[in-house]
Amino acid sequence: MSIDAADYIDTDRYPIADHGAARDELLAGLRSALDRDGCAVLHGFVRPERLPELVAECDRVAEFGHRNFTRTNPYFTADRPDLPATHPLRRFYDRSNAFVPADHFGTDSILRAIYEWPAFAPFVQAALGETDFHRYADPLADVIVNLAEEGGGFPWHFDTNNYTVTLAIQNADHGGDFEFSPNLRTPTDENYPGVEAVLDGDADLIRTLRLQPGDLQIFKGRYSLHRVTPLAGATPRYVAIFSYVEVEGMVGSPERTMELYGRILPVHVERAGLRNDALID
Ligand SMILES: O=C(O)CCC(=O)C(=O)O
Ligand SMILES: [Fe+2]
């Protein structure tokens, strides 16, 4: 069976494949939202009547989710006992979720059809204004589903990557709001007092998005502190993550892949060698 992404994406509302004025206007809006607060949302990117098929795809692979439990501060760094207990570097929170590795989806995957649709990556690239932009070559991690259940969520953090591209597929019964504080730090100013204020719940600094199934989000999280509020209820939250990299052919490191997906493939070992060689050059 061959899946056509254009049957799922609302191309009437989002004419991403038709180069012309409507696409240009859409991109201009996304770029200005990303410049202003690092976040752009395409509500109803997937046609509502096709969403049940995406949920079914996630239900089908959910059992393959690799669970992660960690305690982390907003920076994913080690504790700093030399600092006061209230310092952001010392604020540790529970994080639990499960990633479903990309190789469980099969060739008739709707998510993969969207990811590999020729119009999709160039459109996201243009919205982000990135010059080097390639689909991830990692067979476990290129397009995945993040599954989170009651008690899960993602505590306050800054991303270590420049941007994330996600598609909301199913919300939990309660919680799961996306909260963020735009441009809270800069490359030269960590703004720890501001970070501490957000961690303490300063509503003036926090914006809340309640993303709905079918919404595509492009988010630059390196300078904007953000979290997914704790989940409650029996329904799991499903979010697809589409990954892109600056260098063609890149895959994850064996260590990180093992941590996130619970296994590695020969390609992770082979390319890790290549990467090390490249670094030595
Ligand atoms: O699950 C989400 O909606 C976003 C999670 C997030 O912040 C991340 O993956 O870095
Ligand atoms: Fe994040």
Side-chain angles (χ1 to χ4, degrees):
M1 184 169 65
S2 143
I3 304 240
D4 186 352
D7 294 338
Y8 290 84
I9 296 169
D10 189 344
T11 47
D12 301 323
R13 194 168 173 191
Y14 299 114
I16 69 177
D18 302 328
H19 288 258
R23 183 180 184 272
D24 291 347
E25 197 180 315
L26 174 59
L27 281 170
L30 296 175
R31 281 196 207 104
S32 79
L34 284 164
D35 281 347
R36 198 177 54 241
D37 44 39
C39 184
V41 180
L42 290 86
H43 294 288
F45 185 74
V46 170
R47 294 177 187 277
E49 68 272 20
R50 309 304 300 254
L51 274 171
E53 294 164 69
L54 265 183
V55 173
E57 179 165 316
C58 295
D59 285 341
R60 215 161 42 230
V61 296
E63 65 176 296
F64 302 109
H66 177 71
R67 287 185 162 61
N68 290 292
F69 299 96
T70 47
R71 267 182 79 70
T72 178
N73 68 10
Y75 310 91
F76 306 102
T77 55
D79 191 18
R80 287 281 305 273
D82 54 309
L83 296 171
T86 53
H87 193 283
L89 282 162
R90 303 213 62 196
R91 302 283 195 102
F92 281 77
Y93 304 95
D94 287 334
R95 158 148 170 72
S96 71
N97 75 315
F99 284 136
V100 180
D103 62 348
H104 288 292
F105 290 88
T107 47
D108 59 350
S109 155
I110 303 161
L111 285 176
R112 179 158 298 284
I114 294 174
Y115 184 61
E116 295 183 355
W117 195 44
F120 188 64
F123 175 77
V124 175
Q125 175 177 12
L128 283 163
E130 292 285 326
T131 43
D132 301 307
F133 193 85
H134 305 273
R135 291 205 312 256
Y136 204 14
D138 192 317
L140 293 185
D142 57 352
V143 51
I144 63 158
V145 162
N146 184 3
L147 179 165
E149 289 161 327
E150 183 148 53
F154 201 153
W156 289 111
H157 65 284
F158 293 104
D159 289 343
T160 51
N161 41 317
N162 283 332
Y163 49 80
T164 44
V165 183
T166 53
L167 178 68
I169 295 173
Q170 177 168 274
N171 283 343
D173 297 327
H174 307 285
D177 290 347
F178 186 82
E179 296 186 338
F180 70 115
S181 186
N183 305 312
L184 194 62
R185 69 172 179 177
T186 70
T188 53
D189 180 9
E190 286 292 342
N191 184 20
Y192 288 126
V195 175
E196 199 169 321
V198 170
L199 299 181
D200 289 335
D202 184 340
D204 290 343
L205 294 172
I206 300 173
R207 310 240 312 250
T208 301
L209 283 179
R210 187 157 300 170
L211 295 174
Q212 296 301 327
D215 291 354
L216 183 77
Q217 183 189 31
I218 305 175
F219 183 65
K220 290 181 165 175
R222 195 188 278 276
Y223 302 109
S224 298
L225 191 67
H226 57 285
R227 74 164 177 168
V228 177
T229 61
L231 309 173
T235 311
R237 177 179 188 263
Y238 294 141
V239 171
I241 305 177
F242 303 104
S243 287
Y244 301 93
V245 290
E246 282 177 33
V247 181
E248 197 166 10
M250 249 183 77
V251 303
S253 72
E255 302 74 26
R256 186 87 179 125
T257 303
M258 185 57 96
E259 188 186 341
L260 294 179
Y261 302 103
R263 61 197 162 89
I264 59 170
L265 301 173
V267 70
H268 294 103
V269 180
E270 288 156 19
R271 304 244 173 121
L274 288 180
R275 193 172 39 230
N276 291 339
D277 293 348
L279 283 176
I280 290 162
D281 279 351

